[in-house]
Amino acid sequence: MSIYENVQKIKEQLTDQIIIAATKYVGVNEMQDLLTSGINHFGENRVQSFVEKKAILTDDRIVWHFIGSLQTNKVKKIINDIEYLHSLDRIHLAEAIQLYRKTPLKCFIEVHIGQEETKQGLSIEEVAHFIQELQKYDKIEVVGLMGMASHTTNQEVIYQDFMKLNQLMTFLKQQNYPNMTNHYLSMGMSDDYLIALQAGATHLRLGRILFRNEE
Ligand SMILES: *Cc1c(COP(=O)(O)O)cnc(C)c1O
């Protein structure tokens, strides 16, 4: 199957959710194919490949997301060239964004919902306070939450992980934070996006499933 066919198959399962292509696996040619297949949201993980690809892909339909973890000392290199950041999870990073970004940046707060130990993402309990702290940074606009489910084949566990993000969002909505302008849920990857859809995902970050090449 081609990228075009992969995209069509996935789109049949969606209503109005946005597919962000996780493009770390591919080069600019495949990204050009994505664009002609109707995918214009691209998510990169690494600063260097983002810079290289963005220099080549100048089509103004492209909406650039940064979905990987972002080191504070690399913020300057990309921060004015992305439209969304999916991995805001610490005040130090917010400070660096405040310093270098020229206009408010749409940020998803990364939340740790899976079972695995990881340094990335806030715990669920920390998120409300974090959003309040972010009010002092006028270059940060909170638009949603991002999370990754546990690495398991147990569908119920994955669903419950995603529902944690959904329920947290229900709570946050009620707080009416002035710096939270949208309530998007960035969750679901190639192996679990159907579960993420059931749990209310608004943005899917899809990689391998877009690029696979089978009968
Ligand atoms: C690679 C990546 C994805 C997509 O992963 P697939 O399993 O290939 O769909 C989603 N989110 C992040 C942050 C990634 O790095």
Side-chain angles (χ1 to χ4, degrees):
M1 291 211 292
S2 64
I3 287 178
Y4 179 81
E5 287 168 309
N6 292 336
V7 169
Q8 295 317 307
K9 268 197 125 166
I10 297 164
K11 281 197 168 170
E12 283 168 18
Q13 297 162 315
L14 306 184
T15 49
D16 57 357
Q17 297 86 358
I18 289 174
I19 299 173
I20 301 162
T23 51
K24 61 174 173 278
Y25 308 100
V26 297
V28 292
N29 291 338
E30 289 87 348
M31 292 166 78
Q32 199 62 56
D33 287 348
L34 283 168
L35 210 47
T36 47
S37 305
I39 302 263
N40 66 320
H41 289 262
F42 293 162
E44 273 292 328
N45 287 70
R46 297 177 150 276
V47 167
Q48 192 52 36
S49 43
F50 170 80
V51 171
E52 288 168 13
K53 287 167 172 174
K54 176 131 202 290
I56 299 169
L57 294 168
T58 55
D59 192 305
D60 60 15
R61 289 173 295 178
I62 300 173
V63 179
W64 292 99
H65 299 246
F66 197 82
I67 62 176
S69 66
L70 180 57
Q71 285 174 258
T72 312
N73 62 359
K74 295 194 174 152
V75 165
K76 186 169 54 170
K77 290 192 181 165
I78 64 162
I79 207 69
N80 288 296
D81 293 319
I82 61 176
E83 219 163 298
Y84 293 88
L85 175 69
H86 289 244
S87 54
L88 180 56
D89 65 353
R90 56 196 196 280
I91 285 296
H92 266 16
L93 182 55
E95 283 169 353
I97 295 168
Q98 180 69 23
L99 189 57
Y100 293 110
R101 174 81 186 186
K102 298 199 178 85
T103 58
L105 175 64
K106 299 184 178 78
C107 297
F108 290 79
I109 293 172
E110 184 170 351
V111 187
H112 179 216
I113 51 174
Q115 294 164 339
E116 294 79 16
E117 288 286 325
T118 163
K119 287 178 296 185
Q120 275 148 249
L122 295 167
S123 70
I124 288 170
E125 296 72 31
E126 292 171 318
V127 175
H129 179 246
F130 185 66
I131 295 175
Q132 284 171 291
E133 280 195 86
L134 290 176
Q135 288 182 24
K136 57 176 179 277
Y137 303 107
D138 66 354
K139 297 302 187 291
I140 292 180
E141 182 182 332
V142 180
V143 296
L145 303 175
M146 186 275 248
M148 292 186 221
S150 305
H151 298 299
T152 171
T153 52
N154 185 327
Q155 311 270 301
E156 186 56 30
V157 169
I158 295 171
Y159 179 72
Q160 290 307 333
D161 285 346
F162 287 143
M163 283 308 289
K164 290 182 208 165
L165 217 54
N166 183 317
Q167 283 153 8
L168 173 59
M169 186 57 90
T170 301
F171 170 78
L172 296 174
K173 259 188 207 170
Q174 292 162 355
Q175 311 308 307
N176 286 313
Y177 297 117
N179 57 335
M180 187 163 198
T181 56
N182 267 301
H183 303 96
Y184 300 141
L185 292 174
S186 168
M187 57 189 197
M189 314 199 290
S190 293
D191 292 331
D192 56 20
Y193 74 97
L194 290 173
I195 308 174
L197 289 173
Q198 288 171 16
T202 62
H203 292 64
L204 308 172
R205 304 179 317 277
L206 302 179
R208 289 162 299 140
I209 200 170
L210 296 174
F211 308 115
R212 69 179 176 188
N213 205 341
E214 315 161 344
E215 312 285 290

